[in-house]
Every structure is written in C-alpha cells, then in structure tokens.
Amino acid sequence: HDDGASCIAAWQTLTILKQLGFQPRRTLRVVLWTNEENGSRGGLAYREALGADIAKHVAAIEMDGGAEKPVGFGFSITGVDPNANDPRYTAAMARLQQIGKLLEGIEAGEITRGGGGADISPLMRDGVPGLALRTTGEHYFDWHHTNADTLDKIEPVNFRKAIAMLAVMGYVLADMPERLVEPAK
C-alpha cells in the first residue's frame, strides 16, 4: 500500500490509455517519487528539474493512501481558501465534479476539498492544482510502514478501480481544451 501499489497503478494507467489508443492534447507523465519520509527530496528534485516548465503543468495527482476501496479525489489549490468562494476554486470544483460523475458507476466519484500530498507539494507551492486519490482508509495504518504491508493486502477489484480513476481523471484533465485552473495574474 505504501507505495508499491500506487506506483504500479500509475504505471498501469498510462499502459491502459496507450492500449486504448487515447492521445490527450497534453502529455500525461508518471513520476515515481523517492524519499518522501526523509525530506521529500524526490518531489523537490522533480520541481527543480522542471524550472520554468512548471507553468505547463495543468494538475498533479498523488496516490499515497494505499489501494483500499477508492471513493474519489480531494482537490486543493495552494494559497486559495476552499471555503472563501474564490471563483477559480469554485469553477475548478465544478469541473472536477463533472469528471467525478464519470466515476459514479464504480462508487468513486466523490470530489472533496483538500487534496494533494507531500510528494506533489513542491509543485503545488508554485501554483499547480493538486489532487489526491481518496480511499476508505480502513486498514491503511494497520499496515503502513510495517512488514505487514504485503501484496496479499491488495484487493484486486479495488486496485483496478484505482487504476480506472487515475485513467479517467488524468485523461480528462489532459484533454480538456481549457486548463483546470487558470494561473493567477
């Protein structure tokens, strides 16, 4: 669950989209982070390597809560209070909720306030909207950072749902004519 399943889910997302022949108007990229628990150096190094190209990122999605039954995505924009009725946040949430409807058939269409994560936080600090795949989280901390975090704890149907969620959200965000959130002026 932390984080082998997430890495494979992200990789399988791109594999499936390629097999289906889907080619969004923007690039989808999978980055397998390292060193989150010891200074987030992977996320920091990725951000540094991007330089000014960070402006090309439409969103960052993190799956760092295991592969239990998925329920949806959390969403944040750094520096924007989700409760302050900021029009950029409100418009982005409305778009995400429309995308979430595509996931209702697998009971994973909930879009909530508050998303992102440690690994994508360096991107978010520089204006990239962040999403986090959310699960029920019933047993994550029973296994988290223990020798009990083994492959037999991954329920295949839930794992496939997480892959589907990443594929749908990633593809739609990458293929929308407009950006999820227009950069602040």
Side-chain angles (χ1 to χ4, degrees), residues 88-165:
R88 292 183 314 137
Y89 191 90
T90 304
M93 276 297 280
R95 285 188 193 108
L96 290 170
Q97 288 168 342
Q98 289 297 322
I99 299 167
K101 289 180 181 183
L102 299 172
L103 300 167
E104 288 176 353
I106 61 170
E107 299 176 339
E110 181 179 71
I111 307 297
T112 59
R113 298 169 190 256
D119 291 314
I120 63 173
S121 64
L123 302 175
M124 292 179 66
R125 280 194 294 271
D126 285 331
V128 177
L131 292 102
L133 188 143
R134 301 280 192 219
T135 71
T136 56
E138 295 174 293
H139 297 287
Y140 180 69
F141 286 105
D142 294 343
W143 310 313
H144 184 253
H145 291 187
T146 72
N147 290 334
D149 190 3
T150 55
L151 186 59
D152 62 303
K153 308 302 186 310
I154 304 295
E155 204 285 315
V157 171
N158 289 337
F159 185 65
R160 287 191 292 275
K161 286 179 181 181
I163 294 167
M165 290 172 64

Side-chain angles (χ1 to χ4, degrees), residues 160-180:
R160 287 191 292 275
K161 286 179 181 181
I163 294 167
M165 290 172 64
L166 293 171
V168 168
M169 186 61 73
Y171 179 81
V172 173
L173 290 175
D175 199 52
M176 291 188 326
E178 69 281 351
R179 297 171 66 94
L180 177 62

